[in-house]
Structure formats: C-alpha cells, structure tokens
Amino acid sequence: MSRDNDDAMIRRPRMTPEREAELLAATVDALREVSYDELSMDLVAARARCSKATLYRLWPGKPQMVAAALYATRPMRPEEIDTGTLRGDLLAMVELLGPLAEKDAPLFAALGHALLTDENLAEAVRDTLVEPWFADLTGVVDRAVERGELSRRPSATDFLPQILLSVMLTRPMFERLPADADYLTRCVDHALLPALLHT
C-alpha cells in the first residue's frame, strides 16, 4: 500500500454504526427546529460535531441524508412485531406510533411541502423511507396470512400505511388534538381491522 493510501486511511477513520446513528439523529433534531429549506449540511455538521466532508462521504446531499435520518430514527421495526394475532400486532404498532404522532406531527407536516416541491427529496424519501417502511408495515398482514388467521391477503392491505400515517398527521391539523395511542387504537378497531377482515 502506498504512503498516499496510508495517509488517506489516517485522515478518514472508519465510520462506526453508532457514530452514523448520531449523525442521523442530529439531522432530525435540526429538522425539528428549522424548515427543510433552512436545513444545511453546515448546520448538521455543527450539531454533530463533524466536518461537512464527513457528511458528504456518507450521503450525496441533503435529500439523501434527510431520508436516511427519517428511516433510521423511525420509532418501530414492524418486522420485529409478532404478538400472535393481527389485532395484537396492529396495537403494538400504534402504541409505538402514538408518541411519534404527538412529537413529530409538525415535522412531517412541514416536510410535506418540501416533498411536493423538491423532486430530489421526494425521490430519496420514496426510495429510502417509504418503500421499505411501507413493506414493513404491511408485513404484519402477511404474517397473519402465514399463520392462517387470514385466508388471503386483503386488498385493504395496500392502504394500511397511508391510513395510519394520514390519521397521525391530520388529527393535529384539523382537530387540534394529538393522534395518541388511544385514538390510534380506535382507528385500528373501527377502521383498519374491519377493512382487513372483510376479505
């Protein structure tokens, strides 16, 4: 190995998963305080106490960094939820989503405009966050089919992520009330389960 390569390794220590998680958490924290348009790599670098070059080595730009941060800081891993029943799995999901809805509804509402106007952000969020997370969310229905609780995958499954996220975001905006765990539980019992069981 050449001296130049040795120097490069010294200048660029390997990023640990824990340190990368810190950078992503700093990104979300900054987003809670400023709009997406006001967010900059410089701001995140200052928050995370790293160089801007470090951020650019990990992500091509702000859209990809924000999308990765939203995915990394999501409050639950639906693929790890398996209570043995569809209702139990859905309730476990909303129990974790409730605190997120109360804390971050303004964040997601603010991001909504940026997603509509910034194609790079929309593409990054779709590829990094939406597609894998939606697959995780609908996975609770697929597991219900696998264990024989449902005879087949209901057509309503495709709407499950959108309904959950819409309820989380619209209740604070329209009713000035949080979409807390109690509200989301009622959504499960009176909207989601009837739709999913009506195969």
Side-chain angles (χ1 to χ4, degrees), residues 30-76:
L31 262 179
R32 291 191 180 105
E33 297 183 10
V34 303
S35 68
Y36 175 77
D37 289 339
E38 294 172 332
L39 185 74
S40 67
M41 303 294 265
D42 287 310
L43 176 60
V44 174
R47 281 293 194 95
R49 298 180 180 178
C50 69
S51 70
K52 189 165 63 172
T54 295
L55 300 180
Y56 277 112
R57 283 199 297 271
L58 292 168
W59 302 285
K62 181 172 75 168
Q64 294 78 17
M65 182 178 66
V66 167
L70 294 174
Y71 186 74
T73 58
R74 68 200 191 283
M76 62 177 180

mmCIF file of all heavy atoms in Angstrom, residues 30-76:
data_model
loop_
_atom_site.group_PDB
_atom_site.id
_atom_site.type_symbol
_atom_site.label_atom_id
_atom_site.label_comp_id
_atom_site.label_asym_id
_atom_site.label_seq_id
_atom_site.Cartn_x
_atom_site.Cartn_y
_atom_site.Cartn_z
ATOM 1 N N ALA A 30 -32.170 18.790 14.102
ATOM 2 C CA ALA A 30 -32.090 20.081 13.414
ATOM 3 C C ALA A 30 -33.364 20.353 12.623
ATOM 4 O O ALA A 30 -33.857 21.491 12.585
ATOM 5 C CB ALA A 30 -30.873 20.100 12.488
ATOM 6 N N LEU A 31 -33.923 19.310 12.013
ATOM 7 C CA LEU A 31 -35.157 19.477 11.246
ATOM 8 C C LEU A 31 -36.330 19.900 12.122
ATOM 9 O O LEU A 31 -37.255 20.561 11.653
ATOM 10 C CB LEU A 31 -35.503 18.161 10.543
ATOM 11 C CG LEU A 31 -35.105 18.010 9.081
ATOM 12 C CD1 LEU A 31 -35.509 16.638 8.585
ATOM 13 C CD2 LEU A 31 -35.731 19.091 8.222
ATOM 14 N N ARG A 32 -36.308 19.492 13.374
ATOM 15 C CA ARG A 32 -37.390 19.873 14.284
ATOM 16 C C ARG A 32 -37.345 21.376 14.600
ATOM 17 O O ARG A 32 -38.334 21.934 15.051
ATOM 18 C CB ARG A 32 -37.296 19.080 15.589
ATOM 19 C CG ARG A 32 -37.620 17.598 15.441
ATOM 20 C CD ARG A 32 -37.772 16.936 16.796
ATOM 21 N NE ARG A 32 -38.093 15.514 16.641
ATOM 22 C CZ ARG A 32 -37.237 14.527 16.848
ATOM 23 N NH1 ARG A 32 -36.001 14.801 17.243
ATOM 24 N NH2 ARG A 32 -37.602 13.275 16.684
ATOM 25 N N GLU A 33 -36.203 21.990 14.370
ATOM 26 C CA GLU A 33 -36.039 23.397 14.723
ATOM 27 C C GLU A 33 -36.087 24.329 13.526
ATOM 28 O O GLU A 33 -36.418 25.508 13.669
ATOM 29 C CB GLU A 33 -34.719 23.588 15.473
ATOM 30 C CG GLU A 33 -34.667 22.834 16.791
ATOM 31 C CD GLU A 33 -33.380 23.096 17.553
ATOM 32 O OE1 GLU A 33 -32.621 23.998 17.158
ATOM 33 O OE2 GLU A 33 -33.131 22.379 18.539
ATOM 34 N N VAL A 34 -35.725 23.830 12.352
ATOM 35 C CA VAL A 34 -35.747 24.675 11.162
ATOM 36 C C VAL A 34 -36.509 23.953 10.059
ATOM 37 O O VAL A 34 -36.743 22.749 10.141
ATOM 38 C CB VAL A 34 -34.317 25.011 10.675
ATOM 39 C CG1 VAL A 34 -33.528 25.695 11.781
ATOM 40 C CG2 VAL A 34 -33.594 23.761 10.206
ATOM 41 N N SER A 35 -36.891 24.679 9.033
ATOM 42 C CA SER A 35 -37.566 24.057 7.902
ATOM 43 C C SER A 35 -36.566 23.269 7.063
ATOM 44 O O SER A 35 -35.349 23.430 7.210
ATOM 45 C CB SER A 35 -38.219 25.129 7.032
ATOM 46 O OG SER A 35 -37.231 25.913 6.387
ATOM 47 N N TYR A 36 -37.096 22.461 6.167
ATOM 48 C CA TYR A 36 -36.198 21.703 5.289
ATOM 49 C C TYR A 36 -35.360 22.656 4.451
ATOM 50 O O TYR A 36 -34.160 22.426 4.234
ATOM 51 C CB TYR A 36 -37.003 20.772 4.378
ATOM 52 C CG TYR A 36 -36.140 20.056 3.368
ATOM 53 C CD1 TYR A 36 -35.363 18.969 3.743
ATOM 54 C CD2 TYR A 36 -36.085 20.499 2.038
ATOM 55 C CE1 TYR A 36 -34.538 18.327 2.822
ATOM 56 C CE2 TYR A 36 -35.278 19.857 1.121
ATOM 57 C CZ TYR A 36 -34.506 18.769 1.510
ATOM 58 O OH TYR A 36 -33.698 18.139 0.592
ATOM 59 N N ASP A 37 -35.975 23.728 3.955
ATOM 60 C CA ASP A 37 -35.232 24.684 3.134
ATOM 61 C C ASP A 37 -34.085 25.325 3.915
ATOM 62 O O ASP A 37 -33.034 25.640 3.351
ATOM 63 C CB ASP A 37 -36.168 25.770 2.604
ATOM 64 C CG ASP A 37 -37.116 25.239 1.537
ATOM 65 O OD1 ASP A 37 -36.791 24.195 0.934
ATOM 66 O OD2 ASP A 37 -38.174 25.849 1.317
ATOM 67 N N GLU A 38 -34.297 25.538 5.219
ATOM 68 C CA GLU A 38 -33.269 26.180 6.034
ATOM 69 C C GLU A 38 -32.194 25.209 6.514
ATOM 70 O O GLU A 38 -31.118 25.630 6.943
ATOM 71 C CB GLU A 38 -33.919 26.850 7.256
ATOM 72 C CG GLU A 38 -34.835 28.013 6.892
ATOM 73 C CD GLU A 38 -35.606 28.515 8.084
ATOM 74 O OE1 GLU A 38 -35.850 27.704 9.011
ATOM 75 O OE2 GLU A 38 -35.975 29.698 8.089
ATOM 76 N N LEU A 39 -32.506 23.929 6.451
ATOM 77 C CA LEU A 39 -31.524 22.928 6.871
ATOM 78 C C LEU A 39 -30.347 22.922 5.907
ATOM 79 O O LEU A 39 -30.524 23.014 4.696
ATOM 80 C CB LEU A 39 -32.169 21.537 6.899
ATOM 81 C CG LEU A 39 -31.295 20.407 7.447
ATOM 82 C CD1 LEU A 39 -31.182 20.510 8.955
ATOM 83 C CD2 LEU A 39 -31.861 19.048 7.036
ATOM 84 N N SER A 40 -29.155 22.809 6.437
ATOM 85 C CA SER A 40 -27.960 22.751 5.598
ATOM 86 C C SER A 40 -27.003 21.702 6.139
ATOM 87 O O SER A 40 -27.072 21.308 7.303
ATOM 88 C CB SER A 40 -27.264 24.117 5.577
ATOM 89 O OG SER A 40 -26.728 24.423 6.864
ATOM 90 N N MET A 41 -26.110 21.284 5.288
ATOM 91 C CA MET A 41 -25.079 20.342 5.716
ATOM 92 C C MET A 41 -24.202 20.986 6.779
ATOM 93 O O MET A 41 -23.730 20.317 7.704
ATOM 94 C CB MET A 41 -24.239 19.891 4.522
ATOM 95 C CG MET A 41 -25.030 19.264 3.392
ATOM 96 S SD MET A 41 -25.815 17.697 3.853
ATOM 97 C CE MET A 41 -24.590 16.508 3.283
ATOM 98 N N ASP A 42 -23.968 22.292 6.652
ATOM 99 C CA ASP A 42 -23.167 23.003 7.652
ATOM 100 C C ASP A 42 -23.820 22.940 9.023
ATOM 101 O O ASP A 42 -23.142 22.732 10.041
ATOM 102 C CB ASP A 42 -22.980 24.465 7.239
ATOM 103 C CG ASP A 42 -22.011 24.618 6.083
ATOM 104 O OD1 ASP A 42 -20.908 24.059 6.168
ATOM 105 O OD2 ASP A 42 -22.364 25.287 5.101
ATOM 106 N N LEU A 43 -25.135 23.132 9.064
ATOM 107 C CA LEU A 43 -25.854 23.103 10.337
ATOM 108 C C LEU A 43 -25.764 21.726 10.977
ATOM 109 O O LEU A 43 -25.497 21.603 12.180
ATOM 110 C CB LEU A 43 -27.320 23.495 10.119
ATOM 111 C CG LEU A 43 -28.225 23.426 11.355
ATOM 112 C CD1 LEU A 43 -27.722 24.352 12.452
ATOM 113 C CD2 LEU A 43 -29.669 23.764 10.963
ATOM 114 N N VAL A 44 -25.987 20.688 10.186
ATOM 115 C CA VAL A 44 -25.918 19.325 10.725
ATOM 116 C C VAL A 44 -24.496 19.007 11.182
ATOM 117 O O VAL A 44 -24.292 18.400 12.240
ATOM 118 C CB VAL A 44 -26.403 18.304 9.683
ATOM 119 C CG1 VAL A 44 -26.183 16.877 10.192
ATOM 120 C CG2 VAL A 44 -27.871 18.529 9.356
ATOM 121 N N ALA A 45 -23.519 19.416 10.402
ATOM 122 C CA ALA A 45 -22.126 19.159 10.780
ATOM 123 C C ALA A 45 -21.799 19.818 12.113
ATOM 124 O O ALA A 45 -21.130 19.228 12.971
ATOM 125 C CB ALA A 45 -21.187 19.675 9.690
ATOM 126 N N ALA A 46 -22.290 21.048 12.308
ATOM 127 C CA ALA A 46 -22.044 21.734 13.577
ATOM 128 C C ALA A 46 -22.744 21.011 14.720
ATOM 129 O O ALA A 46 -22.178 20.850 15.812
ATOM 130 C CB ALA A 46 -22.533 23.179 13.488
ATOM 131 N N ARG A 47 -23.994 20.566 14.468
ATOM 132 C CA ARG A 47 -24.745 19.833 15.503
ATOM 133 C C ARG A 47 -24.060 18.524 15.866
ATOM 134 O O ARG A 47 -24.012 18.136 17.030
ATOM 135 C CB ARG A 47 -26.161 19.530 15.007
ATOM 136 C CG ARG A 47 -27.135 20.663 15.073
ATOM 137 C CD ARG A 47 -27.423 21.024 16.538
ATOM 138 N NE ARG A 47 -28.571 21.866 16.641
ATOM 139 C CZ ARG A 47 -29.803 21.429 16.882
ATOM 140 N NH1 ARG A 47 -30.032 20.144 17.043
ATOM 141 N NH2 ARG A 47 -30.799 22.272 16.978
ATOM 142 N N ALA A 48 -23.573 17.837 14.853
ATOM 143 C CA ALA A 48 -22.997 16.503 15.058
ATOM 144 C C ALA A 48 -21.513 16.555 15.398
ATOM 145 O O ALA A 48 -20.898 15.510 15.638
ATOM 146 C CB ALA A 48 -23.210 15.658 13.812
ATOM 147 N N ARG A 49 -20.951 17.763 15.380
ATOM 148 C CA ARG A 49 -19.522 17.937 15.668
ATOM 149 C C ARG A 49 -18.656 17.085 14.742
ATOM 150 O O ARG A 49 -17.829 16.274 15.175
ATOM 151 C CB ARG A 49 -19.227 17.613 17.133
ATOM 152 C CG ARG A 49 -19.946 18.545 18.100
ATOM 153 C CD ARG A 49 -19.631 18.211 19.532
ATOM 154 N NE ARG A 49 -20.322 19.122 20.445
ATOM 155 C CZ ARG A 49 -20.274 19.056 21.761
ATOM 156 N NH1 ARG A 49 -19.548 18.108 22.350
ATOM 157 N NH2 ARG A 49 -20.928 19.916 22.506
ATOM 158 N N CYS A 50 -18.917 17.285 13.454
ATOM 159 C CA CYS A 50 -18.116 16.613 12.445
ATOM 160 C C CYS A 50 -17.888 17.598 11.305
ATOM 161 O O CYS A 50 -18.449 18.693 11.299
ATOM 162 C CB CYS A 50 -18.818 15.348 11.932
ATOM 163 S SG CYS A 50 -20.299 15.681 10.955
ATOM 164 N N SER A 51 -17.087 17.207 10.349
ATOM 165 C CA SER A 51 -16.869 18.068 9.195
ATOM 166 C C SER A 51 -17.968 17.837 8.162
ATOM 167 O O SER A 51 -18.595 16.770 8.118
ATOM 168 C CB SER A 51 -15.509 17.771 8.561
ATOM 169 O OG SER A 51 -15.526 16.502 7.938
ATOM 170 N N LYS A 52 -18.188 18.863 7.349
ATOM 171 C CA LYS A 52 -19.157 18.706 6.265
ATOM 172 C C LYS A 52 -18.704 17.617 5.297
ATOM 173 O O LYS A 52 -19.540 16.896 4.729
ATOM 174 C CB LYS A 52 -19.340 20.044 5.548
ATOM 175 C CG LYS A 52 -20.477 20.042 4.541
ATOM 176 C CD LYS A 52 -20.867 21.455 4.126
ATOM 177 C CE LYS A 52 -19.730 22.162 3.423
ATOM 178 N NZ LYS A 52 -20.173 23.466 2.845
ATOM 179 N N ALA A 53 -17.389 17.480 5.120
ATOM 180 C CA ALA A 53 -16.862 16.440 4.235
ATOM 181 C C ALA A 53 -17.262 15.048 4.713
ATOM 182 O O ALA A 53 -17.519 14.150 3.907
ATOM 183 C CB ALA A 53 -15.346 16.553 4.153
ATOM 184 N N THR A 54 -17.338 14.874 6.038
ATOM 185 C CA THR A 54 -17.762 13.581 6.585
ATOM 186 C C THR A 54 -19.175 13.251 6.135
ATOM 187 O O THR A 54 -19.477 12.119 5.750
ATOM 188 C CB THR A 54 -17.696 13.599 8.121
ATOM 189 O OG1 THR A 54 -16.341 13.755 8.529
ATOM 190 C CG2 THR A 54 -18.246 12.306 8.712
ATOM 191 N N LEU A 55 -20.060 14.232 6.176
ATOM 192 C CA LEU A 55 -21.453 14.019 5.754
ATOM 193 C C LEU A 55 -21.517 13.667 4.276
ATOM 194 O O LEU A 55 -22.251 12.751 3.875
ATOM 195 C CB LEU A 55 -22.286 15.259 6.041
ATOM 196 C CG LEU A 55 -22.372 15.698 7.502
ATOM 197 C CD1 LEU A 55 -23.230 16.949 7.629
ATOM 198 C CD2 LEU A 55 -22.930 14.583 8.383
ATOM 199 N N TYR A 56 -20.736 14.374 3.467
ATOM 200 C CA TYR A 56 -20.770 14.118 2.026
ATOM 201 C C TYR A 56 -20.144 12.773 1.664
ATOM 202 O O TYR A 56 -20.446 12.216 0.601
ATOM 203 C CB TYR A 56 -20.069 15.244 1.268
ATOM 204 C CG TYR A 56 -20.962 16.443 1.040
ATOM 205 C CD1 TYR A 56 -20.707 17.650 1.671
ATOM 206 C CD2 TYR A 56 -22.074 16.353 0.190
ATOM 207 C CE1 TYR A 56 -21.528 18.760 1.465
ATOM 208 C CE2 TYR A 56 -22.893 17.447 -0.019
ATOM 209 C CZ TYR A 56 -22.622 18.644 0.611
ATOM 210 O OH TYR A 56 -23.448 19.728 0.408
ATOM 211 N N ARG A 57 -19.283 12.243 2.512
ATOM 212 C CA ARG A 57 -18.756 10.902 2.253
ATOM 213 C C ARG A 57 -19.825 9.840 2.480
ATOM 214 O O ARG A 57 -19.783 8.764 1.886
ATOM 215 C CB ARG A 57 -17.542 10.618 3.151
ATOM 216 C CG ARG A 57 -16.263 11.308 2.679
ATOM 217 C CD ARG A 57 -15.024 10.655 3.293
ATOM 218 N NE ARG A 57 -14.991 10.780 4.744
ATOM 219 C CZ ARG A 57 -14.435 11.799 5.399
ATOM 220 N NH1 ARG A 57 -13.896 12.805 4.717
ATOM 221 N NH2 ARG A 57 -14.425 11.832 6.710
ATOM 222 N N LEU A 58 -20.779 10.146 3.336
ATOM 223 C CA LEU A 58 -21.828 9.172 3.656
ATOM 224 C C LEU A 58 -23.058 9.325 2.773
ATOM 225 O O LEU A 58 -23.715 8.329 2.435
ATOM 226 C CB LEU A 58 -22.231 9.321 5.125
ATOM 227 C CG LEU A 58 -21.173 8.925 6.151
ATOM 228 C CD1 LEU A 58 -21.579 9.380 7.538
ATOM 229 C CD2 LEU A 58 -20.963 7.418 6.131
ATOM 230 N N TRP A 59 -23.407 10.571 2.429
ATOM 231 C CA TRP A 59 -24.613 10.835 1.637
ATOM 232 C C TRP A 59 -24.292 11.844 0.547
ATOM 233 O O TRP A 59 -23.555 12.808 0.777
ATOM 234 C CB TRP A 59 -25.724 11.377 2.547
ATOM 235 C CG TRP A 59 -26.034 10.427 3.658
ATOM 236 C CD1 TRP A 59 -26.734 9.260 3.569
ATOM 237 C CD2 TRP A 59 -25.636 10.544 5.034
ATOM 238 N NE1 TRP A 59 -26.786 8.643 4.796
ATOM 239 C CE2 TRP A 59 -26.115 9.404 5.727
ATOM 240 C CE3 TRP A 59 -24.916 11.500 5.750
ATOM 241 C CZ2 TRP A 59 -25.914 9.205 7.077
ATOM 242 C CZ3 TRP A 59 -24.698 11.305 7.106
ATOM 243 C CH2 TRP A 59 -25.202 10.176 7.753
ATOM 244 N N PRO A 60 -24.862 11.659 -0.647
ATOM 245 C CA PRO A 60 -24.553 12.570 -1.759
ATOM 246 C C PRO A 60 -24.977 14.013 -1.507
ATOM 247 O O PRO A 60 -24.373 14.941 -2.039
ATOM 248 C CB PRO A 60 -25.343 11.970 -2.937
ATOM 249 C CG PRO A 60 -25.618 10.561 -2.540
ATOM 250 C CD PRO A 60 -25.722 10.541 -1.058
ATOM 251 N N GLY A 61 -26.046 14.191 -0.712
ATOM 252 C CA GLY A 61 -26.522 15.545 -0.466
ATOM 253 C C GLY A 61 -27.584 15.574 0.613
ATOM 254 O O GLY A 61 -27.886 14.558 1.253
ATOM 255 N N LYS A 62 -28.179 16.722 0.814
ATOM 256 C CA LYS A 62 -29.160 16.913 1.875
ATOM 257 C C LYS A 62 -30.385 16.001 1.717
ATOM 258 O O LYS A 62 -30.837 15.408 2.715
ATOM 259 C CB LYS A 62 -29.586 18.383 1.937
ATOM 260 C CG LYS A 62 -30.597 18.673 3.040
ATOM 261 C CD LYS A 62 -30.834 20.175 3.199
ATOM 262 C CE LYS A 62 -31.689 20.719 2.089
ATOM 263 N NZ LYS A 62 -32.175 22.096 2.377
ATOM 264 N N PRO A 63 -30.964 15.848 0.525
ATOM 265 C CA PRO A 63 -32.146 14.978 0.416
ATOM 266 C C PRO A 63 -31.883 13.553 0.891
ATOM 267 O O PRO A 63 -32.694 12.974 1.636
ATOM 268 C CB PRO A 63 -32.472 15.016 -1.084
ATOM 269 C CG PRO A 63 -31.885 16.291 -1.569
ATOM 270 C CD PRO A 63 -30.636 16.482 -0.761
ATOM 271 N N GLN A 64 -30.758 12.987 0.478
ATOM 272 C CA GLN A 64 -30.445 11.600 0.864
ATOM 273 C C GLN A 64 -30.164 11.497 2.360
ATOM 274 O O GLN A 64 -30.536 10.509 3.002
ATOM 275 C CB GLN A 64 -29.245 11.092 0.059
ATOM 276 C CG GLN A 64 -29.496 10.955 -1.433
ATOM 277 C CD GLN A 64 -29.456 12.277 -2.183
ATOM 278 O OE1 GLN A 64 -28.936 13.278 -1.671
ATOM 279 N NE2 GLN A 64 -29.994 12.290 -3.390
ATOM 280 N N MET A 65 -29.516 12.509 2.916
ATOM 281 C CA MET A 65 -29.227 12.499 4.351
ATOM 282 C C MET A 65 -30.514 12.575 5.166
ATOM 283 O O MET A 65 -30.686 11.846 6.154
ATOM 284 C CB MET A 65 -28.307 13.668 4.709
ATOM 285 C CG MET A 65 -27.915 13.722 6.178
ATOM 286 S SD MET A 65 -26.783 15.097 6.539
ATOM 287 C CE MET A 65 -27.864 16.512 6.219
ATOM 288 N N VAL A 66 -31.433 13.442 4.755
ATOM 289 C CA VAL A 66 -32.709 13.579 5.468
ATOM 290 C C VAL A 66 -33.520 12.294 5.376
ATOM 291 O O VAL A 66 -34.083 11.816 6.369
ATOM 292 C CB VAL A 66 -33.499 14.771 4.909
ATOM 293 C CG1 VAL A 66 -34.943 14.749 5.405
ATOM 294 C CG2 VAL A 66 -32.834 16.076 5.316
ATOM 295 N N ALA A 67 -33.590 11.699 4.193
ATOM 296 C CA ALA A 67 -34.330 10.452 4.034
ATOM 297 C C ALA A 67 -33.749 9.350 4.898
ATOM 298 O O ALA A 67 -34.478 8.602 5.568
ATOM 299 C CB ALA A 67 -34.338 10.031 2.563
ATOM 300 N N ALA A 68 -32.429 9.247 4.915
ATOM 301 C CA ALA A 68 -31.767 8.236 5.753
ATOM 302 C C ALA A 68 -32.033 8.501 7.227
ATOM 303 O O ALA A 68 -32.240 7.567 8.019
ATOM 304 C CB ALA A 68 -30.270 8.233 5.476
ATOM 305 N N ALA A 69 -32.056 9.769 7.622
ATOM 306 C CA ALA A 69 -32.296 10.120 9.022
ATOM 307 C C ALA A 69 -33.711 9.758 9.440
ATOM 308 O O ALA A 69 -33.938 9.240 10.544
ATOM 309 C CB ALA A 69 -32.050 11.612 9.233
ATOM 310 N N LEU A 70 -34.684 10.026 8.582
ATOM 311 C CA LEU A 70 -36.069 9.690 8.903
ATOM 312 C C LEU A 70 -36.244 8.182 9.048
ATOM 313 O O LEU A 70 -36.963 7.712 9.932
ATOM 314 C CB LEU A 70 -37.005 10.234 7.821
ATOM 315 C CG LEU A 70 -37.090 11.757 7.720
ATOM 316 C CD1 LEU A 70 -37.932 12.155 6.513
ATOM 317 C CD2 LEU A 70 -37.679 12.352 9.004
ATOM 318 N N TYR A 71 -35.589 7.431 8.185
ATOM 319 C CA TYR A 71 -35.703 5.972 8.266
ATOM 320 C C TYR A 71 -35.002 5.425 9.503
ATOM 321 O O TYR A 71 -35.527 4.571 10.213
ATOM 322 C CB TYR A 71 -35.123 5.322 7.007
ATOM 323 C CG TYR A 71 -35.336 3.821 6.972
ATOM 324 C CD1 TYR A 71 -36.594 3.294 6.706
ATOM 325 C CD2 TYR A 71 -34.293 2.931 7.209
ATOM 326 C CE1 TYR A 71 -36.805 1.931 6.677
ATOM 327 C CE2 TYR A 71 -34.491 1.564 7.178
ATOM 328 C CZ TYR A 71 -35.757 1.069 6.917
ATOM 329 O OH TYR A 71 -35.963 -0.289 6.909
ATOM 330 N N ALA A 72 -33.820 5.943 9.779
ATOM 331 C CA ALA A 72 -33.030 5.425 10.903
ATOM 332 C C ALA A 72 -33.664 5.735 12.243
ATOM 333 O O ALA A 72 -33.482 4.991 13.206
ATOM 334 C CB ALA A 72 -31.613 5.997 10.850
ATOM 335 N N THR A 73 -34.409 6.845 12.318
ATOM 336 C CA THR A 73 -34.994 7.252 13.601
ATOM 337 C C THR A 73 -36.469 6.894 13.711
ATOM 338 O O THR A 73 -37.141 7.356 14.631
ATOM 339 C CB THR A 73 -34.817 8.773 13.811
ATOM 340 O OG1 THR A 73 -35.438 9.483 12.724
ATOM 341 C CG2 THR A 73 -33.341 9.139 13.872
ATOM 342 N N ARG A 74 -36.976 6.069 12.792
ATOM 343 C CA ARG A 74 -38.373 5.643 12.897
ATOM 344 C C ARG A 74 -38.564 4.906 14.223
ATOM 345 O O ARG A 74 -37.640 4.223 14.688
ATOM 346 C CB ARG A 74 -38.768 4.774 11.704
ATOM 347 C CG ARG A 74 -38.090 3.427 11.640
ATOM 348 C CD ARG A 74 -38.155 2.866 10.207
ATOM 349 N NE ARG A 74 -37.745 1.474 10.152
ATOM 350 C CZ ARG A 74 -36.478 1.057 10.199
ATOM 351 N NH1 ARG A 74 -35.496 1.922 10.334
ATOM 352 N NH2 ARG A 74 -36.193 -0.237 10.112
ATOM 353 N N PRO A 75 -39.740 5.029 14.839
ATOM 354 C CA PRO A 75 -39.891 4.564 16.222
ATOM 355 C C PRO A 75 -40.069 3.075 16.385
ATOM 356 O O PRO A 75 -40.097 2.577 17.501
ATOM 357 C CB PRO A 75 -41.152 5.302 16.676
ATOM 358 C CG PRO A 75 -41.962 5.417 15.423
ATOM 359 C CD PRO A 75 -40.951 5.663 14.318
ATOM 360 N N MET A 76 -40.238 2.346 15.283
ATOM 361 C CA MET A 76 -40.507 0.923 15.457
ATOM 362 C C MET A 76 -39.939 0.137 14.297
ATOM 363 O O MET A 76 -39.636 0.677 13.232
ATOM 364 C CB MET A 76 -42.012 0.678 15.546
ATOM 365 C CG MET A 76 -42.767 1.086 14.297
ATOM 366 S SD MET A 76 -44.512 0.700 14.403
ATOM 367 C CE MET A 76 -45.063 1.295 12.804
#
